[in-house]
Amino acid sequence: MKRKFSIIITVVAAVCAVALAAWGGYVFCTQVKVGEETPELYASIPIFIILIFLGAFLDELIHEGAHFMIGAFCSMGVKAPKIRIFKSSSVEVFPKGAKCLKLRFLLTAGAGLFFDALIIALGIIAFSVKSVPPVLGIGLPYALYSFIVNVVPFEYHSGKTDGLVIWEAIRNDPSSRVMFRILKIQGLVNGGLMLKEVDESLLLDVPQLPEDDLNFIILTQLRYEYYLAKGDDSTAYKYFLRYKDLIQYLPDEYGEEATVRRKVEEEMEDDEETDEVFEIPQANVENALEDKKEDVKQAEEEKPSEQPAEQSEEQSAEQPTEQAEEQQPAAEEDAEEAPQPEKKKKKSKSK
């Protein structure tokens, strides 16, 4: 059902864009003049098609650039946008500070739709008013397509639309509340607070979300980083494993699953070393150390008792019989002091 609805939205947007392109093409080909004359129709159509694709690129650049510029103005710490024609483009935000966070985010999220609307208005004017050059309307078809696809509150396979993000924020949806909690933590850290100093309740006292929700996945990763920074390795490892299981639900715009999985696994050396770091309780470590100390102590106690006995055997074998009679009492005394006479008997047999 979800896939069918996404196809319907895309088809409706594409049909509207093609209709506007046909209207704009007619106006362009009949009104544009080169010098004093109007070019032949067969020459004007290829030029208009090239301009339409150029307009699509410019509109996408303006849409994502609007997110970027307004986000930078609102101190949302936006990264350079990823521009992709007829695919999902996006910008990433890492806000600085936690004041007026919701307003700053809404302005950043709505900037792209606002500029799409401006380009649509300009295009309609350019194709309707003869005194306005039709070339100014080349961005109209793609701008309408982009506006329809993004304004509908819907979650595609590539992620949520601008309209859905804004709608959830206005309704204070559970997913949106978790998102703003994540942004608040990022804002505090970017503002100078260390991650381990963040109030733990900000990470735990949140609404419950389905595991395939993007904000839940990001929250899980943030919990892992938080407990790792605090030195709670066992809890950090628990969230690390949970995050690895959730990677499969990441939208396409966050990269291929294999690429993301490699980035996550690079943070750990390998599973065996990770088990040593995270899974062995401290009590087991202390018990192992105590056992090791007892083994060493026992070995030190057995060593001086066995050594004289062995030496006496070697000396008795090498020396003449006259000297053996003199050393026999000393060897017998060493044998009486040895704690394991049976062990000595076994050695003599092996020889």
Side-chain angles (χ1 to χ4, degrees):
M1 183 64 183
K2 185 176 180 180
R3 180 175 176 80
K4 290 182 179 179
F5 189 66
S6 67
I7 294 174
I8 292 174
I9 296 174
T10 304
V11 169
V12 170
V15 169
C16 294
V18 170
L20 287 180
W23 174 42
Y26 172 79
V27 173
F28 179 86
C29 294
T30 56
Q31 292 186 8
V32 171
K33 294 183 179 181
V34 178
E36 297 291 335
E37 300 180 356
T38 301
E40 295 291 337
L41 189 62
Y42 69 87
S44 300
I45 292 177
I47 296 175
F48 179 74
I49 293 175
I50 293 173
L51 290 176
I52 285 295
F53 281 98
L54 177 61
F57 175 77
L58 291 176
D59 177 75
E60 190 67 28
L61 184 63
I62 292 172
H63 179 98
E64 299 301 331
H67 289 306
F68 180 80
M69 290 186 297
I70 301 300
F73 177 77
C74 295
S75 299
M76 290 299 292
V78 291
K79 289 187 175 181
K82 301 175 183 177
I83 307 297
R84 289 177 290 187
I85 306 294
F86 298 109
K87 288 186 177 182
S88 176
S89 301
S90 62
V91 294
E92 297 180 9
V93 296
F94 299 91
K96 184 176 182 180
K99 294 182 178 180
C100 302
L101 188 59
K102 190 170 185 177
L103 176 60
R104 289 155 52 196
F105 178 82
L106 289 174
L107 290 175
T108 303
L113 293 174
F114 177 76
F115 276 85
D116 276 345
L118 290 181
I119 295 174
I120 292 172
L122 178 62
I124 293 175
I125 293 172
F127 291 155
S128 301
V129 181
K130 292 185 177 181
S131 59
V132 179
V135 71
L136 296 178
I138 59 173
L140 173 60
Y142 188 82
L144 183 64
Y145 172 85
S146 176
F147 185 84
I148 294 175
V149 168
N150 282 285
V151 77
V152 176
F154 184 72
E155 183 173 5
Y156 296 95
H157 184 66
S158 58
K160 298 179 181 181
T161 64
D162 295 339
L164 180 58
V165 172
I166 294 171
W167 179 243
E168 288 181 345
I170 294 174
R171 292 178 54 216
N172 203 24
D173 189 81
S175 179
S176 181
R177 288 158 57 190
V178 173
M179 178 191 68
F180 282 115
R181 188 65 63 85
I182 295 170
L183 293 176
K184 183 177 181 179
I185 295 172
Q186 292 178 342
L188 292 173
V189 173
N190 293 334
L193 187 68
M194 297 183 66
L195 181 58
K196 63 181 181 180
E197 297 175 350
V198 172
D199 187 358
E200 189 176 12
S201 62
L202 293 177
L203 290 144
L204 301 180
D205 297 341
V206 295
Q208 187 174 1
L209 299 177
E211 65 177 9
D212 60 347
D213 190 288
L214 175 60
N215 292 316
F216 176 74
I217 300 173
I218 298 175
L219 178 65
T220 303
Q221 180 188 11
L222 189 58
R223 285 172 174 173
Y224 153 67
E225 295 173 353
Y226 173 75
Y227 286 108
L228 193 64
K230 291 194 69 173
D232 188 350
D233 292 340
S234 59
T235 305
Y237 185 56
K238 179 184 71 174
Y239 284 112
F240 168 74
L241 294 179
R242 184 74 175 116
Y243 179 63
K244 288 180 66 176
D245 293 336
L246 298 175
I247 288 176
Q248 58 181 314
Y249 302 116
L250 282 174
D252 294 341
E253 65 182 79
Y254 284 80
E256 298 295 334
E257 179 181 339
T259 303
V260 180
R261 186 178 294 275
R262 280 198 302 270
K263 290 182 180 180
V264 175
E265 292 179 347
E266 283 175 0
E267 297 179 5
M268 301 294 182
E269 294 181 0
D270 54 45
D271 290 339
E272 295 180 358
E273 294 180 357
T274 302
D275 291 341
E276 293 178 1
V277 173
F278 290 104
E279 290 191 332
I280 300 178
Q282 186 64 25
N284 292 349
V285 175
E286 294 176 357
N287 293 336
L289 291 175
E290 292 296 332
D291 294 339
K292 185 67 175 178
K293 290 179 181 179
E294 292 180 0
D295 294 339
V296 173
K297 186 176 179 180
Q298 183 177 0
E300 290 177 354
E301 291 176 356
E302 294 177 358
K303 185 175 181 180
S305 62
E306 293 179 358
Q307 186 174 0
E310 294 175 357
Q311 289 179 354
S312 63
E313 289 179 353
E314 293 175 358
Q315 291 175 359
S316 61
E318 293 176 358
Q319 292 178 347
T321 55
E322 295 179 357
Q323 296 179 356
E325 293 178 356
E326 298 177 358
Q327 294 180 355
Q328 186 175 0
E332 291 176 356
E333 292 177 0
D334 293 339
E336 291 176 358
E337 294 177 358
Q340 296 179 352
E342 295 181 358
K343 194 172 185 180
K344 179 180 173 182
K345 188 181 292 185
K346 289 181 181 179
K347 288 184 180 179
S348 61
K349 286 183 179 180
S350 63
K351 291 181 181 179

